[in-house]
Amino acid sequence: MARSLVGMRIREQRRALNMRQADLAHRVGISPSYMNLIERNKRGIAGGLLRRIGEELGLSIEVLTGTAEQRLETDLIDLARDPERGDPAMDPATAGEFIGRFPGWARALARMGRRERAARAEAAALSDRLTHDPFLSQAVHAMLTDIAALRSTADILTDVPDIGRQDRDRFQGNISALAERLAETGSALAGYFDETDTPADRQSGIDMLEDFISTGDAHFAFAEQLGARLAPDIRARTASDSPDDALLQSSAGRKWGRARAHIQKLYLAELQLPETDAGDHASAAAHHPAITGLLLDRAADAALAPMDRFRHLLDQANWDLPALCRAYDGEIGLVFRRLLALPGYRFGYLHTDASGHTRSRLGALDQLPRHYDAACPLWAIHRARIKPFQPIFQRVQFPEGIERIFIAMADPDTAESHQISADPANMPDQFLSRVVNSDRPRPVGATCQLCAHADCPQRREPPVVDLAVSSLQSG
Amino acid sequence: MTRVLLVEDEPHIIESLSFLLSRAGYDVDHVDNGAVAFESISANPPDVLVLDAMLPGMNGFDLLRRIRAQEALAKLPVLMLTAKGQKKDREVANAIGADMFMIKPFNNSELVDAVGQLAP
């Protein structure tokens, strides 16, 4: 959808400005026939060309690429593919058309889908908590034991008519003591729920995070500016080995970790509440720990790899990502996240820890598994850990026929893996030339449940999608 | 007189059950620790054992396993009590040799009846 909407938006804005297609093509330095292909969605567009067209049309890249609408489409595709909420007749490929024709309905449906998913996750988390939380387990056991004693004692007083006075007084005293103890346990339990984060808080953080990625442009821009402003000071401090340096007192060992710790220590409030956006919805969300972490990441990235310098090195290295990582002291995550922030491109980014658990998913979220889903085991990100610091390139095709390029690299020290996914139609030739093109794209899925590839050797569980229908759609 | 040993750590439950079972004609003794209970049972086996699952020293399941591992105690009648009514607890209790299983909060007369069924 990204490509089709970009072409459509270019055409609509050009017409609104009464500009001829050939004139726009001339101004941005391409042929009219190529501009025609772009507007008719036959060619992808990214990078400098997208930026130039945006400047000529007076539209930002974010408006042209429709970041918010891409999020909306991702949500609807998630909904269509979900085995419990979706329906086999919902074709993910028509999500873009649905948004175009019924934007209000589409937004409402996506909102309901997100809330329902959050509610299900909350219920599952509560269930887990009731089962495994040691305090709750002990408190519930104590309450049941006291209730058992209370019931048994009360029944004695009721059912034994000839009970002696001494026994009666003793059991009545027991009832009083048990009631008092039950009240104390109940109060402690209520206090415990009040004092701790509820699972709802934690779960809604995932959706809040993704909402913020879509809507928090001003905050990211501020974090970028802050990082760039601090860059000279940060570089000087991270280069220093002086034990008096405040940065070295942080627990993080590497430059990036030290830079992030420094910004967190001195500039956190500034990041959370930039003066330009005080009081808006995104500013409130910026205080959420997950979002604060994201903004700190961005500021640290910008401090150690200011975008102009990064872009220059990227061109100089001819998109050779390992060379770029070496230039940035082996900070793979830093390089991959800077690619994600590169204006004019639309990457998806996945970051997993040493156990393969997803730590973050940013950028183009389509085709990426939800946090609580297990990703397809065929993806490059899992293979990268076998060969740390070596780039693993993969051309992949999803069951719907969508092609992507994956580049993954693993950190040799932490065994964390990073993966960028890119739409080949939007990537420059220098980048594509590094991908082995002779091979056919490897069939992959998002998760096993939603994947229609019947003969996959890595399948963990049977698919819930209709293999025949999916094959027809992909064929 | 049939001797019943209560292995239970909640004093109010011990009082209630001791009162009820004594009134029903049993000789009732009690221990509030799993490890101590094993020594007591090995030295002087009761006729019926009423055993709580959650105990200090050694939990009721482990105690029952050790009891059943001894040939002399292999047929000792055991009624297990637990505050957890989970299916898994019942399955474990059955698998390791509990003769009967009751969930707290229990009914007094049902518990006394159960002890009566287990008594020799």
Side-chain angles (χ1 to χ4, degrees):
Chain A
M1 165 185 151
R3 184 195 293 181
S4 65
L5 282 184
V6 172
M8 186 185 76
R9 287 196 193 91
I10 291 172
R11 188 177 64 240
E12 285 177 356
Q13 181 69 1
R14 178 180 58 73
R15 285 176 175 171
L17 295 172
N18 281 326
M19 190 187 297
R20 289 172 56 232
Q21 193 178 58
D23 290 342
L24 178 58
H26 176 71
R27 289 186 192 185
V28 298
I30 61 174
S31 69
S33 59
Y34 191 67
M35 178 60 78
N36 187 38
L37 289 172
I38 290 172
E39 288 194 0
R40 287 170 51 218
N41 314 314
K42 302 292 185 189
R43 288 289 183 277
I45 177 171
L49 179 56
L50 182 64
R51 202 166 50 247
R52 291 200 299 279
I53 290 177
E55 285 167 4
E56 291 298 331
L57 296 177
L59 292 178
S60 69
I61 288 172
E62 286 71 26
V63 171
L64 272 177
T65 54
T67 306
E69 288 182 20
Q70 285 162 6
R71 167 78 202 281
L72 180 57
E73 187 185 26
T74 302
D75 281 344
L76 291 180
I77 290 173
D78 275 350
L79 188 65
R81 287 180 177 146
D82 189 298
E84 291 179 28
R85 298 174 302 159
D87 186 284
M90 292 169 77
D91 179 1
T94 60
E97 185 185 343
F98 179 63
I99 294 167
R101 291 178 64 185
F102 307 107
W105 284 97
R107 280 193 295 274
L109 188 62
R111 198 160 49 237
M112 286 171 64
R114 281 207 302 273
R115 286 182 181 168
E116 195 268 348
R117 183 164 51 81
R120 275 196 297 162
E122 181 184 344
L126 273 171
S127 172
D128 277 354
R129 185 174 177 184
L130 285 173
T131 309
H132 300 298
D133 186 306
F135 175 81
L136 287 180
S137 176
Q138 284 175 15
V140 168
H141 179 263
M143 287 183 84
L144 284 171
T145 301
D146 285 348
I147 289 168
L150 200 57
R151 179 182 176 184
S152 180
T153 310
D155 284 352
I156 288 171
L157 290 172
T158 309
D159 299 341
V160 183
D162 56 343
I163 187 168
R165 185 188 176 108
Q166 200 175 357
D167 284 334
R168 176 176 295 277
D169 290 348
R170 179 163 57 98
F171 285 127
Q172 280 176 341
N174 285 355
I175 284 181
S176 176
L178 284 164
E180 192 174 335
R181 202 163 70 185
L182 260 176
E184 285 172 6
T185 310
S187 295
L189 211 50
Y192 181 69
F193 278 118
D194 280 346
E195 286 167 12
T196 54
D197 284 347
T198 64
D201 290 337
R202 293 198 293 271
Q203 284 305 325
S204 63
I206 294 170
D207 278 328
M208 189 190 281
L209 192 71
E210 294 187 358
D211 277 338
F212 190 82
I213 292 167
S214 302
T215 60
D217 289 346
H219 287 259
F220 284 117
F222 182 82
E224 184 83 30
Q225 289 164 12
L226 176 69
R229 177 157 59 87
L230 299 175
D233 181 43
I234 294 270
R235 273 201 298 275
R237 284 170 180 269
T238 51
S240 165
D241 285 331
S242 161
D244 295 332
D245 194 307
L247 283 173
L248 294 178
Q249 293 169 15
S250 82
S251 58
R254 287 183 167 183
K255 280 186 183 177
W256 184 84
R258 286 185 280 160
R260 191 182 188 277
H262 177 69
I263 295 169
Q264 182 171 18
K265 190 176 172 186
L266 299 180
Y267 300 95
L268 182 61
E270 207 173 327
L271 261 182
Q272 286 175 325
L273 198 64
E275 288 176 11
T276 49
D277 287 304
D280 67 6
H281 174 71
S283 292
H287 286 81
H288 191 283
I291 292 169
T292 300
L294 211 56
L295 292 171
L296 281 169
D297 287 354
R298 183 63 170 267
D301 289 350
L304 286 183
M307 187 49 78
D308 288 346
R309 173 76 177 153
F310 179 80
R311 198 199 305 264
H312 171 73
L313 288 177
L314 183 67
D315 289 339
Q316 200 174 43
N318 242 342
W319 286 74
D320 181 346
L321 298 187
L324 211 55
C325 289
R326 281 192 293 276
Y328 282 104
D329 297 321
E331 300 271 17
I332 299 169
L334 168 67
V335 169
F336 276 45
R337 285 190 304 274
R338 291 318 271 163
L339 283 175
L340 195 65
L342 199 61
Y345 292 92
R346 184 171 180 261
F347 294 103
Y349 170 67
L350 197 61
H351 169 205
T352 59
D353 64 19
S355 73
H357 179 80
T358 302
R359 290 282 297 273
S360 48
R361 51 193 292 278
L362 303 170
L365 300 179
D366 49 316
Q367 307 301 337
L368 296 183
R370 287 279 174 194
H371 263 280
Y372 18 83
D373 290 338
C376 172
L378 298 174
W379 287 13
I381 192 166
H382 306 303
R383 292 174 54 204
R385 276 202 301 275
I386 302 169
K387 297 179 178 177
F389 212 80
Q390 288 190 30
I392 306 292
F393 292 98
Q394 229 181 16
R395 278 180 66 208
V396 299
Q397 184 176 47
F398 286 89
E400 301 85 357
I402 295 169
E403 276 197 37
R404 289 285 181 272
I405 292 171
F406 287 165
I407 308 101
M409 285 177 72
D411 189 306
D413 296 330
T414 64
E416 292 179 8
S417 297
H418 307 265
Q419 176 177 289
I420 284 283
S421 62
D423 181 348
N426 292 338
M427 296 309 297
D429 290 339
Q430 307 101 295
F431 177 84
L432 293 174
S433 66
R434 299 190 175 277
V435 183
V436 180
N437 280 310
S438 55
D439 295 337
R440 291 183 57 201
R442 177 164 200 177
V444 298
T447 67
C448 283
Q449 276 202 335
L450 306 177
C451 176
H453 296 305
D455 301 323
C456 176
Q458 299 277 352
R459 180 174 286 288
R460 287 186 295 253
E461 55 186 332
V464 294
V465 292
D466 186 328
L467 293 178
V469 171
S470 298
S471 301
L472 285 174
Q473 285 175 355
S474 63
Chain B
M1 189 183 276
T2 303
R3 186 168 162 265
V4 177
L5 178 66
L6 290 176
V7 185
E8 166 67 62
D9 63 334
E10 209 297 313
H12 300 99
I13 291 182
I14 293 171
E15 273 193 55
S16 294
L17 292 185
S18 296
F19 175 82
L20 290 165
L21 292 169
S22 299
R23 200 167 170 275
Y26 298 104
D27 176 16
V28 184
D29 202 356
H30 71 264
V31 182
D32 62 3
N33 179 294
V36 175
F38 181 70
E39 290 174 16
S40 167
I41 294 164
S42 300
N44 184 18
D47 297 310
V48 177
L49 178 66
V50 178
L51 176 61
D52 187 27
M54 298 283 279
L55 291 167
M58 183 191 305
N59 72 48
F61 296 107
D62 288 343
L63 176 58
L64 183 55
R65 284 190 189 93
R66 293 187 67 175
I67 288 170
R68 291 299 186 231
Q70 293 205 13
E71 196 174 338
L73 300 174
K75 294 189 177 171
L76 171 66
V78 176
L79 166 62
M80 269 207 90
L81 300 176
T82 176
K84 295 178 183 174
Q86 291 175 346
K87 188 182 170 192
K88 190 181 162 195
D89 281 352
R90 183 185 290 268
E91 287 172 356
V92 171
N94 285 335
I96 63 179
D99 298 283
M100 297 185 85
F101 183 92
M102 290 187 83
I103 297 165
K104 295 177 182 176
F106 48 81
N107 178 290
N108 286 347
S109 55
E110 285 178 7
L111 189 136
V112 175
D113 286 350
V115 171
Q117 288 177 42
L118 293 174

